[in-house]
C-alpha cells in the first residue's frame, strides 16, 4: 500500500519569451517514493490483455508516473504530453488563429500522425471525444477533462499500433491513464506559477481522500485550476504583428462614378479600393497600393489596415474543475464489483477582434449619412473597430463519465466485464453581425424601430451624439448576434474479456485471452437559428447535424513461451461498424533475452481508424489564413466543410525493433526503431492548397475579386510513410546521506515523414517542416529532454531541460525557425 501523505507542491515556472520550449523548472515535492515503491507488480500492462510486467512487454511502452510530473513542476494530467518526445503536433496551448472551437482542450499526437490517431483510455476503457473539434476536423479525447492529476498513479503510453487489441483509433499507439486504488488517508496539493514580464499566473489546488475495509475500498479526488490571461501585447513577438486588410475604418470600391469626386475610378471592372479618408484619425493604418491610378482627388488607393493583435490573448482566462471517484466491493468469494464516476467543468474566455471582417462585401447606399462619395460603394472592412474594445469568445465544456462492472474467477478462467458511458457538451459563443440587420442598417432601416442608419465610415468614430454620422448604440445592438455552437458527443461501451492458462510448457505457461465489445458513438451539432440561415457576415453559417454509429468487435490474444529466452505474442481483432466499415487486424510481437542484461523486441501489426462520426456527418465552418495569389491579399477567410459518409477507414502497417540494455543495476539504456506506413488518411482538403492550384476553382467563392469563402471536404487521398528512432536512458544511485539521485534522458528522431497528397502523386519528405500547406503537422526532426532529480524522504528537487529542433516555415518563404 502507498502510505497516506499530505503535500504542498509549489513549482515556480518562469516563462521566457523566446525560450518557452526550454523551461528550467524547480519543483519542491513533499513525497518521494523509493525505487522499490516504484516497481510495478504483475498486472495487465497496456499492449496486452494478459498479466505481465513492463519488463516482459514486447512492445515499446513509456511509463510516466505521478511523481515524474510533480518533480518536473507539472500539475495537470495533460502535462504528460510535454514529457514525451515521441509526441509531436499536439494542441495543448491556445492558438486563437487555429483553434476556432477547441480552446481549453489538450490532446495527444503520437508520431505526428494526427490528433485522432492515438487512442486514449482511462483505466483501460474508452472515453468520449470532445465536442471541441479541431479546425482540421479531428475528433480527440480532451486530456483536460480526463481525471485530476492527484488521482493519477501513472500513464502507460504504447508507441506502436494496437488495433489488434483495442480497435479503431490506435493507429499511432495507446495512452492509458491509470488511477490510484490503494489510497488511505488524505492528500492536499497547492501549486502556483507566474509568467515573466506580465501579471499572468496559474493557481491550482487538489485534494484526494481514500479508505478501505476488508471488503470495501474507494477514493475521491477533486482539482481546481484558475488561470489569468496573457495579452498578445505583453510579448514583442506578437505585439503589432497582426494587421488585417479588412479594417475599421476600411476601404471602398465605387460601383458608379462619384458626383462629389468624378475623377475617382469606379466600377467592378476597374476594382480599385479607395482608402477611407478618416483611416488614420479613426485608428486605422493606411496601406496604399504600390501603383496609384490618376485622378484620385486627394484620396489614396489601397486598404485601411487594422491591428487586431491588442485584442487577442496568448493565454486565455480559464477555470477548470475536475472530479473523480472510484470504489470496489468484494461481493462474493471470487467476485468484485467496481465503479467509477467523473465530471469535468471547463470555462474559457479569450479575446478577439471588436468585430470580424465582412467577407461578403456589402453595398453601402449613396444616401448613407457617412458616404462621402454619394454613390453606391462596396465596403472592404469590419463593422466595429478600436473604439468598441475587444470582443470575447466563451467556451464551456462539461464532461461526464460513469463505469460499472465486475471481475472474478471461475474455474481456470479470470474474467472482467463493464459498462461505460461518457458524454461531453461543448458550447462556444462568439459575437458576429447578422447579415440582414446589418444591410438594413446601411440602408437606414436598422435599429429596433427599423428607422436608424449605420455609418461604416471612419467619420462615425470621430462623431458625437446628435450628429448625422454618429452611430446610435441601438442600431449596433440590433445587428449584433451571438453565434452559438452546441456540440454534444456520447459514447456507450459494453466490453468483456476472459483469460486463462491453456497449457504448461517447459519454458512457462501458454496463456489465452478472449473478449468482445459493443459500442455506440453519437454526435450532435446544434447551431443557432441565424447560423442555420447562413445569416452572419463572417461566420457564414450552416445546418444542424447529427450522426450515430454502432460497432461490435471480437478479439483474442495468445502468449507462447517458446523458450526460456523467447516469448511470443499473437493477437487478432475483428471490428465491424455500420456502413460497411470493418477491419480484421493482427499483431505479432516477440521478446528475446539473449543475456540477463539485454532484451530485444520486435513487433509488427496492422492498425485502422474508422472515419469519426463528426467527419461523416458534420457541417463545419472555420476561419483560416489564406493568401490570394491574384490580389496579393492575405487574411482570414471562411472555410466550410461538409461531412462525407462515404469515407473509407484509414489503415497502417506498423513495425518496431528495439533493445534494452542494463549492464549494471543503476543504468538502463533503450533504443527503438519505428516505422509507420499510413494509408487512406482522412484529411480536410487544404483551403490554401486549393487556391494555390487554381485561384478561380469553383470552390473558391469570390466577391468583387476578393476571396470570401473556400468550400472543402474530407477525403481519403493522402498517405504517409514515417520512421525514426526513440532513445532513452536512466541512471539512478544513492548518495551518502541516503538521498536518491536520478538522471534521465529521452529523445525522438524523425528520419523521414514522406507524404503523398494524392494517389499516384509524388512523395515529399516534410520532416523538418512547419507544414502550413500540407495535411501534416509541424515536424521538427529532433525532440528531447533531460533531467536530474533528487529525493530524500519527503523532500526533493528536480531540473529539466527540453529541446525542440529547428524547422522550416513553409508559410513564410521557408524561413528557418531556430531550435529551441
Amino acid at each position: 500500500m502507498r502510505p497516506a501523505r499530505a503535500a504542498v507542491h509549489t513549482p515556480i515556472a518562469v516563462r521566457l519569451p523566446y525560450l518557452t520550449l526550454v523551461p528550467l523548472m524547480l519543483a519542491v515535492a513533499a513525497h518521494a517514493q523509493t525505487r522499490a515503491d516504484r516497481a510495478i507488480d504483475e498486472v495487465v500492462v497496456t499492449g496486452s490483455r494478459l498479466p505481465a510486467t513492463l519488463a516482459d512487454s514486447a512492445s515499446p511502452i513509456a511509463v510516466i508516473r505521478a511523481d515524474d510530473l510533480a518533480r518536473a513542476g507539472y500539475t495537470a494530467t495533460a502535462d504528460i504530453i510535454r514529457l514525451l518526445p515521441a509526441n509531436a503536433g499536439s494542441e495543448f496551448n491556445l492558438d486563437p488563429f487555429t483553434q476556432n472551437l477547441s480552446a481549453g482542450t489538450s490532446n495527444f499526437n503520437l508520431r505526428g500522425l494526427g490528433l485522432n490517431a492515438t487512442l486514449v483510455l482511462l483505466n483501460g476503457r474508452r472515453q468520449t471525444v470532445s465536442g471541441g473539434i479541431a479546425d482540421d476536423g479531428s475528433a480527440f479525447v480532451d486530456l483536460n477533462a480526463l481525471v485530476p492529476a492527484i488521482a493519477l498513479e501513472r500513464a502507460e503510453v504504447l508507441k506502436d499500433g494496437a488495433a489488434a487489441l483495442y480497435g479503431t483509433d490506435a493507429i499511432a499507439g495507446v495512452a492509458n491513464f491509470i488511477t490510484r486504488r490503494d489510497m488511505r488517508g488524505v492528500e492536499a496539493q497547492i501549486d502556483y506559477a507566474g509568467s515573466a514580464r506580465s501579471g499572468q499566473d496559474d493557481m491550482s489546488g487538489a485534494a484526494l481522500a481514500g479508505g478501505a475495509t476488508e471488503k470495501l475500498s474507494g477514493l475521491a479526488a477533486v482539482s481546481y485550476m484558475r488561470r489569468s490571461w496573457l495579452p498578445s501585447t505583453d510579448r514583442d513577438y506578437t505585439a503589432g504583428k497582426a494587421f488585417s486588410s479588412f479594417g475599421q475604418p476600411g476601404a471602398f470600391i465605387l460601383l458608379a462614378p462619384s458626383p462629389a469626386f468624378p475623377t475617382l475610378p469606379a466600377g467592378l471592372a476597374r476594382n480599385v479600393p479607395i482608402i477611407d479618408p478618416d483611416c488614420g484619425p479613426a485608428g486605422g493604418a493606411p496601406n496604399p497600393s504600390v501603383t496609384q491610378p490618376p485622378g484620385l482627388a486627394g484620396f489614396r488607393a489601397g486598404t485601411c489596415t487594422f491591428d487586431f493583435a491588442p485584442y487577442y490573448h496568448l493565454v486565455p482566462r480559464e477555470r477548470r474543475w475536475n472530479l473523480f471517484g472510484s470504489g470496489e466491493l468484494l461481493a462474493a468469494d471470487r467476485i468484485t464489483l467496481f465503479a467509477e464516476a467523473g465530471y469535468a467543468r471547463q470555462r474559457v474566455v479569450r479575446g478577439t477582434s471588436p468585430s470580424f471582417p465582412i467577407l461578403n462585401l456589402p453595398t453601402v447606399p449613396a444616401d448613407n449619412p457617412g458616404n462621402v462619395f454619394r454613390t453606391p460603394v462596396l465596403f472592404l472592412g469590419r463593422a466595429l473597430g478600436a473604439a468598441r474594445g475587444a470582443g470575447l469568445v466563451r467556451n464551456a465544456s462539461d464532461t461526464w463519465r460513469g463505469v460499472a462492472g465486475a471481475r472474478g474467477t471461475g474455474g481456470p478462467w479470470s474474467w472482467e466485464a463493464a459498462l461505460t458511458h461518457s458524454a461531453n457538451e461543448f458550447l462556444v459563443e462568439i459575437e458576429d453581425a447578422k447579415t440582414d440587420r446589418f444591410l438594413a442598417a446601411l440602408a437606414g432601416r436598422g435599429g429596433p424601430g427599423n428607422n436608424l442608419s449605420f455609418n461604416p465610415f471612419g467619420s462615425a468614430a470621430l462623431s458625437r451624439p446628435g450628429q448625422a454620422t454618429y452611430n446610435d448604440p441601438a442600431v449596433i445592438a440590433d445587428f449584433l448576434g451571438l453565434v452559438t455552437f452546441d456540440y454534444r458527443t456520447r459514447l456507450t461501451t459494453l466490453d468483456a474479456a476472459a483469460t486463462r492458462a491453456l497449457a504448461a510448457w517447459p519454458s512457462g505457461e501458454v496463456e489465452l485471452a478472449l473478449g468482445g465489445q459493443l459500442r455506440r458513438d453519437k454526435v450532435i451539432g446544434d447551431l443557432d437559428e441565424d447560423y442555420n440561415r447562413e445569416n452572419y457576415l463572417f461566420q457564414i453559417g450552416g445546418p444542424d447535424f447529427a450522426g450515430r454509429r454502432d460497432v461490435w468487435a471480437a478479439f483474442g490474444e495468445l502468449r507462447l513461451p517458446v523458450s526460456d529466452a523467447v516469448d511470443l505474442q499473437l493477437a487478432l481483432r475483428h471490428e465491424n461498424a455500420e456502413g460497411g466499415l470493418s477491419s480484421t487486424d493482427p499483431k505479432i510481437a516477440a521478446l528475446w533475452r539473449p543475456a540477463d542484461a539485454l532484451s530485444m523486441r520486435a513487433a509488427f501489426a496492422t492498425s485502422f481508424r474508422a472515419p469519426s462520426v463528426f467527419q461523416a456527418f458534420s457541417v463545419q465552418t472555420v476561419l483560416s489564413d489564406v493568401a490570394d495569389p491574384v490580389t496579393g491579399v492575405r487574411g482570414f477567410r471562411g472555410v466550410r466543410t461538409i461531412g462525407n459518409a462515404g469515407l473509407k477507414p484509414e489503415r497502417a502497417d506498423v513495425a518496431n525493433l528495439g533493445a534494452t540494455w542494463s549492464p549494471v543495476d543503476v543504468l538502463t539504456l533503450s533504443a527503438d526503431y519505428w516505422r509507420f506506413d499510413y494509408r487512406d488518411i482522412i484529411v480536410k482538403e487544404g483551403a490554401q492548397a486549393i487556391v494555390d492550384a487554381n485561384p478561380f476553382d469553383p470552390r473558391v467563392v469570390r466577391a468583387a475579386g476578393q476571396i470570401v469563402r473556400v468550400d472543402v471536404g474530407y477525403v481519403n487521398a493522402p498517405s504517409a510513410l514515417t520512421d525514426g528512432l526513440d532513445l532513452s536512458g536512466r541512471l539512478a544511485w544513492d548518495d551518502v546521506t541516503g538521498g536518491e539521485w536520478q538522471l534521465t534522458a529521452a529523445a525522438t528522431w524523425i528520419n523521414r515523414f514522406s507524404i503523398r497528397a494524392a494517389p499516384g502523386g509524388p512523395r515529399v519528405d516534410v520532416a523538418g517542416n512547419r507544414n502550413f500547406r500540407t495535411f501534416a503537422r509541424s515536424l521538427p526532426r529532433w525532440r528531447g529532454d533531460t533531467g536530474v532529480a533528487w529525493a530524500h524522504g519527503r523532500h526533493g528537487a528536480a531540473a529539466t531541460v527540453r529541446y525542440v529542433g529547428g524547422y522550416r516555415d513553409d508559410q513564410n518563404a521557408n524561413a528557418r525557425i531556430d531550435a529551441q
Side-chain angles (χ1 to χ4, degrees):
M1 288 289 203
R2 177 184 298 211
R5 58 191 173 104
V8 175
H9 300 268
T10 316
I12 302 171
V14 179
R15 303 170 191 168
L16 303 176
Y18 291 102
L19 298 174
T20 55
L21 294 177
V22 195
L24 182 62
M25 293 160 293
L26 180 64
V28 179
H31 172 74
Q33 286 178 291
T34 66
R35 286 192 296 276
D37 291 334
R38 295 170 65 93
I40 296 176
D41 295 330
E42 188 168 277
V43 295
V44 177
V45 176
T46 305
S48 175
R49 299 280 180 171
L50 296 165
T53 63
L54 285 169
D56 293 328
S57 175
S59 296
I61 299 176
V63 179
I64 299 172
R65 298 172 177 84
D67 285 352
D68 298 326
L69 284 175
R71 287 172 179 167
Y74 296 136
T75 62
T77 300
D79 288 329
I80 282 174
I81 297 169
R82 305 173 189 268
L83 293 173
L84 283 172
N87 192 80
S90 287
E91 295 180 357
F92 58 90
N93 289 323
L94 174 72
D95 181 350
F97 306 116
T98 62
Q99 289 180 280
N100 284 270
L101 298 178
S102 58
T105 63
S106 292
N107 41 55
F108 265 100
N109 194 353
L110 286 176
R111 308 300 184 199
L113 293 175
L115 305 184
N116 46 16
T118 302
L119 177 62
V120 176
L121 306 174
L122 180 57
N123 290 324
R125 293 182 174 82
R126 289 177 177 256
Q127 168 92 349
T128 189
V129 296
S130 170
I133 303 297
D135 280 11
D136 65 0
S138 297
F140 54 85
V141 173
D142 179 14
L143 303 182
N144 289 339
L146 205 57
V147 66
I150 198 171
L152 189 68
E153 179 171 299
R154 68 186 187 276
E156 297 175 353
V157 181
L158 176 66
K159 296 183 290 184
D160 66 357
L165 292 161
Y166 299 104
T168 184
D169 301 336
I171 287 271
V174 177
N176 187 13
F177 291 81
I178 299 166
T179 59
R180 296 164 60 178
R181 293 182 179 177
D182 57 356
M183 171 65 189
R184 294 191 180 189
V186 177
E187 288 184 25
Q189 177 177 321
I190 297 174
D191 296 274
Y192 177 82
S195 295
R197 296 194 292 111
S198 80
Q200 194 280 323
D201 63 358
D202 294 355
M203 175 71 77
S204 61
L208 175 70
T213 64
E214 185 177 344
K215 291 189 174 184
L216 179 65
S217 64
L219 63 82
V222 59
S223 65
Y224 172 75
M225 189 270 288
R226 175 204 58 77
R227 171 169 290 157
S228 63
W229 47 27
L230 174 65
S232 63
T233 51
D234 280 12
R235 295 293 182 263
D236 53 10
Y237 53 82
T238 50
K241 302 292 176 59
F243 285 90
S244 171
S245 58
F246 283 74
Q248 176 48 257
F252 302 86
I253 297 173
L254 279 62
L255 297 177
S258 167
F261 308 99
T263 62
L264 286 176
L268 287 178
R270 299 189 68 181
N271 196 27
V272 177
I274 304 299
I275 298 175
D276 190 306
D278 290 314
C279 174
N287 183 30
S289 302
V290 175
T291 301
Q292 294 289 305
L296 292 184
F299 292 89
R300 284 179 290 180
T303 58
C304 181
T305 61
F306 181 75
D307 181 11
F308 53 84
Y311 309 103
Y312 282 82
H313 294 95
L314 299 177
V315 177
R317 189 178 73 195
E318 188 170 358
R319 303 291 185 269
R320 189 187 305 161
W321 285 96
N322 212 317
L323 294 87
F324 175 79
S326 65
E328 294 189 359
L329 172 65
L330 182 61
D333 184 33
R334 296 188 174 186
I335 298 177
T336 299
L337 305 179
F338 59 87
E340 296 175 10
Y343 171 69
R345 172 188 170 91
Q346 298 155 271
R347 298 295 184 266
V348 178
V349 181
R350 60 183 176 90
T352 187
S353 300
S355 67
F356 295 117
I358 301 172
L359 299 181
N360 55 3
L361 305 187
T363 298
V364 183
D367 59 355
N368 184 282
N371 191 341
V372 296
F373 304 110
R374 298 299 173 227
T375 190
V377 295
L378 289 182
F379 177 39
L380 283 69
R382 60 186 71 216
L384 304 170
R388 185 169 186 266
L392 295 176
V393 181
R394 301 180 185 276
N395 289 30
S397 177
D398 292 279
T399 305
W400 302 265
R401 174 185 171 89
V403 180
R407 70 173 71 92
T409 58
W413 291 94
S414 296
W415 56 269
E416 182 170 304
L419 176 67
T420 304
H421 179 76
S422 54
N424 174 257
E425 182 169 1
F426 204 96
L427 181 69
V428 181
E429 295 178 329
I430 184 169
E431 200 173 63
D432 198 1
K434 298 183 223 180
T435 302
D436 56 356
R437 298 309 299 159
F438 185 77
L439 295 179
L442 292 179
R445 301 189 305 274
N450 298 319
N451 61 348
L452 298 176
S453 289
F454 177 76
N455 173 17
F457 285 75
S459 57
L462 306 176
S463 302
R464 296 292 180 265
Q467 295 179 305
T469 53
Y470 175 74
N471 284 325
D472 191 314
V475 73
I476 296 174
D478 179 64
F479 67 64
L480 290 179
L482 196 63
V483 186
T484 304
F485 304 88
D486 188 357
Y487 289 171
R488 300 188 292 276
T489 64
R490 304 286 186 269
L491 176 63
T492 302
T493 304
L494 175 63
D495 54 14
T499 63
R500 65 165 294 173
L502 284 181
W505 287 8
S507 51
E509 289 187 328
V510 178
E511 296 176 294
L512 172 70
L514 297 172
Q517 186 178 82
L518 298 173
R519 63 175 195 271
R520 171 170 288 180
D521 267 304
K522 294 177 67 176
V523 61
I524 298 170
D526 186 7
L527 296 310
D528 66 274
E529 182 179 347
D530 283 294
Y531 194 92
N532 294 152
R533 293 169 50 211
E534 299 190 3
N535 191 37
Y536 286 112
L537 290 175
F538 186 60
Q539 299 285 344
I540 307 171
D544 296 339
F545 61 88
R548 190 190 82 184
R549 179 178 294 137
D550 292 335
V551 181
W552 68 266
F555 60 86
E557 180 187 357
L558 195 64
R559 182 183 295 150
L560 303 172
V562 178
S563 70
D564 290 338
V566 178
D567 287 340
L568 196 64
Q569 177 194 24
L570 303 173
L572 185 71
R573 182 185 182 105
H574 178 77
E575 189 158 302
N576 190 292
E578 290 179 297
L581 302 174
S582 65
S583 184
T584 301
D585 291 277
K587 179 172 185 176
I588 180 170
L591 181 69
W592 177 38
R593 309 175 194 83
D596 290 342
L598 178 65
S599 63
M600 305 182 73
R601 53 189 169 271
F604 174 81
T606 67
S607 289
F608 82 105
R609 190 187 74 82
S612 71
V613 180
F614 191 87
Q615 289 170 328
F617 300 106
S618 71
V619 178
Q620 182 189 34
T621 300
V622 300
L623 311 169
S624 183
D625 191 8
V626 176
D628 186 356
V630 175
T631 63
V633 173
R634 171 178 159 185
F636 284 88
R637 302 293 184 260
V639 177
R640 183 161 61 183
T641 313
I642 307 296
N644 180 0
L647 293 167
K648 299 182 296 183
E650 302 172 340
R651 301 190 180 277
D653 295 334
V654 184
N656 191 90
L657 293 171
T660 298
W661 182 47
S662 185
V664 292
D665 289 343
V666 298
L667 176 65
T668 301
L669 302 172
S670 184
D672 283 275
Y673 167 78
W674 45 267
R675 182 181 187 274
F676 291 79
D677 185 0
Y678 196 5
R679 306 175 302 279
D680 293 328
I681 303 175
I682 299 169
V683 297
K684 179 189 291 188
E685 294 173 296
Q688 186 67 63
I690 291 173
V691 172
D692 289 345
N694 180 6
F696 298 101
D697 188 298
R699 294 172 292 178
V700 181
V701 182
R702 293 179 177 271
Q706 301 284 332
I707 296 175
V708 296
R709 190 181 80 236
V710 182
D711 291 331
V712 303
Y714 295 108
V715 295
N716 275 107
S719 63
L721 179 64
T722 182
D723 66 346
L725 291 174
D726 288 341
L727 305 170
S728 65
R730 176 178 176 270
L731 178 65
W733 70 96
D734 297 334
D735 62 29
V736 294
T737 69
E740 299 170 358
W741 289 86
Q742 186 171 233
L743 179 65
T744 58
T748 291
W749 174 63
I750 301 175
N751 175 47
R752 62 178 164 171
F753 200 103
S754 177
I755 66 171
R756 178 175 285 144
R763 281 198 174 274
V764 180
D765 187 2
V766 297
N769 201 52
R770 179 187 166 196
N771 292 313
F772 176 77
R773 284 178 163 81
T774 76
F775 65 84
R777 298 265 170 162
S778 296
L779 293 168
R781 289 189 184 272
W782 278 102
R783 302 176 71 92
D785 65 72
T786 184
V788 60
W790 170 81
H792 191 291
R794 291 181 174 270
H795 305 280
T800 303
V801 176
R802 299 180 61 223
Y803 174 84
V804 178
Y807 54 103
R808 299 180 303 275
D809 181 0
D810 60 332
Q811 186 184 15
N812 294 292
N814 283 327
R816 182 71 179 174
I817 298 173
D818 292 335
Q820 305 290 317

